[in-house]
Amino acid sequence: MNTESPTPPPNQEPITPKQLYLTRRKFLEAAGIFSASAILAACMGSTPASPSGPVTPETDTETPKNLATSYNNYYEFGTSKSSVAERAANFQMQPWQVEVGGLVKHPQTFSIEDLLVNFKQEQRVYRMRCVEAWSMVLPWTGFPLAKLLEAVVPLPEAKFVAFQSVYRPEEMPGQVRLDFPWPYLEGLRLDEAQHPLTLLATGLYEEPLTPQNGGPIRLVVPWKYGFKSAKALVKITLQADQPVTFWNAIAPQEYGFYANVNPAVDHPRWSQSEERRIGEIGSRATLLFNGYNEVAPLYEGMNLTVNF
Ligand code: MTE
């Protein structure tokens, strides 16, 4: 594993020492990310739209920021959604590294700054559907996971991608108090990981990702239940076998590996046919693949009731 200064993708400038000593906020502004000018550029249409197109404005209104940053699932900080933000407030997100390895030609450890500078950051408004039958509409900043995978070059034997969240019991009380198989693990099939909708998010509401929302970097897979979108990533491993995942290991009959949003397959405790949009009254019908029908070819010929 190369933990030395990482090689930037072709046509990119290497990281300069100056960028390394700037504070995270200043660094992001210096890089033109999350600054007023970057936001203006996005408004003027220089940022590519989501491959799925923007979500339909009449039916999908962006969830207010105060709700998305105060109603969180993050078991490392306990089971109370409304306490996560406060408990995570002092979580240290700098320095931060993500180790990318396993069955790849160029294993590499990236600092968060490398990822922000060397991979073009985009704005994507995605629906997020939790298996607990609530949903939000969130404006992420980030870059396609496919671009990171391209940089490390998967070997032909690589069929799956495993994701590991940080293990830091001294800062994460849930890792001490809750008897779960820490660290939080997730996984995707390689073709799911390479799908253009699959995002590594570094920001939310045009600001750096807050600790409670999974900062400094998390996975976002909008057609799957929210638990697939692992927060605070430190390790991404390409492998031949299906990865062990946190919730599937705890309760395999409740949480499948695929976890595609599917109104026809109920969770034992929650009907999945409808959902409650946080910040709105009433409920709405849940859509197969959370409405991202372009992913359907990934599952052609598969029984989605068995592979739930
Ligand atoms: N990632 C880690 N590491 N730990 C978690 O407990 N919860 C998941 C997912 N990622 C979780 C996680 C679940 S169940 C959901 S619904 C989403 O994060 C919630 O993301 P949000 O708090 O940003 O809305």
Side-chain angles (χ1 to χ4, degrees):
M1 181 69 57
N2 172 19
T3 52
E4 302 290 302
S5 179
T7 316
N11 308 323
Q12 304 274 356
E13 290 298 313
I15 308 297
T16 66
K18 182 177 170 225
Q19 287 162 331
L20 296 176
Y21 66 68
L22 291 174
T23 64
R24 178 175 158 78
R25 179 76 216 189
K26 284 208 179 103
F27 172 81
L28 295 169
E29 284 175 2
I33 300 159
F34 307 119
S35 67
S37 56
I39 292 163
L40 189 63
C43 296
M44 292 168 73
S46 66
T47 303
S50 150
S52 65
V55 292
T56 320
E58 306 88 69
T59 57
D60 286 304
T61 307
E62 211 168 275
T63 301
K65 181 179 171 182
N66 66 313
L67 297 180
T69 55
S70 63
Y71 184 86
N72 302 102
N73 268 338
Y74 202 167
Y75 281 73
E76 285 88 335
F77 293 101
T79 54
S80 158
K81 291 183 192 9
S82 57
S83 303
V84 171
E86 194 190 331
R87 288 185 185 159
N90 295 322
F91 178 64
Q92 290 304 307
M93 299 192 292
Q94 205 180 19
W96 196 274
Q97 292 192 322
V98 183
E99 188 185 328
V100 188
L103 297 174
V104 298
K105 200 164 167 199
H106 303 301
Q108 203 168 311
T109 297
F110 298 85
S111 69
I112 187 68
E113 289 81 6
D114 299 334
L115 296 171
L116 286 166
V117 170
N118 293 323
F119 294 89
K120 187 173 180 304
Q121 307 292 307
E122 304 173 21
Q123 311 284 333
R124 301 269 185 100
V125 181
Y126 281 165
R127 290 177 289 274
M128 186 184 72
R129 169 63 157 80
C130 179
V131 73
E132 296 163 342
W134 53 263
S135 61
M136 297 193 191
V137 177
L138 301 172
W140 301 103
T141 303
F143 58 99
L145 173 61
K147 297 285 178 200
L148 181 69
L149 297 176
E150 254 172 49
V152 294
V153 188
L155 294 175
E157 311 88 272
K159 301 288 179 237
F160 293 90
V161 184
F163 301 89
Q164 187 178 315
S165 297
V166 73
Y167 180 68
R168 227 186 262 170
E170 63 283 10
E171 286 184 63
M172 300 178 130
Q175 290 182 335
V176 179
R177 289 191 213 131
L178 298 172
D179 187 20
F180 285 146
W182 305 107
Y184 195 95
L185 302 174
E186 259 308 333
L188 294 172
R189 236 171 39 198
L190 180 59
D191 57 348
E192 296 177 318
Q194 289 170 324
H195 193 279
L197 283 177
T198 305
L199 203 67
L200 284 174
T202 55
L204 189 57
Y205 298 95
E206 292 162 347
E207 293 275 346
L209 208 49
T210 56
Q212 67 268 33
N213 290 100
I217 185 164
R218 73 176 291 176
L219 186 62
V220 177
V221 194
W223 72 94
K224 293 179 179 278
Y225 292 118
F227 68 84
K228 295 297 286 182
S229 295
K231 297 178 169 183
L233 294 176
V234 290
K235 201 168 175 182
I236 298 176
T237 310
L238 284 86
Q239 53 191 65
D241 302 324
Q242 183 172 304
V244 170
T245 62
F246 185 79
W247 288 111
N248 184 251
I250 293 167
Q253 69 289 357
E254 296 193 17
Y255 307 101
F257 174 79
Y258 281 92
N260 291 317
V261 174
N262 190 342
V265 179
D266 285 337
H267 180 278
R269 279 177 284 141
W270 301 289
S271 159
Q272 299 297 9
S273 63
E274 292 191 341
E275 66 200 63
R276 186 172 53 92
R277 188 60 59 79
I278 298 299
E280 294 178 11
I281 297 162
S283 57
R284 59 178 66 214
T286 286
L287 305 173
L288 179 62
F289 303 127
N290 206 15
Y292 296 98
N293 294 325
E294 60 266 55
V295 302
L298 293 171
Y299 308 105
E300 242 160 39
M302 267 176 72
N303 182 335
L304 296 178
T305 306
V306 176
N307 296 290
F308 64 93

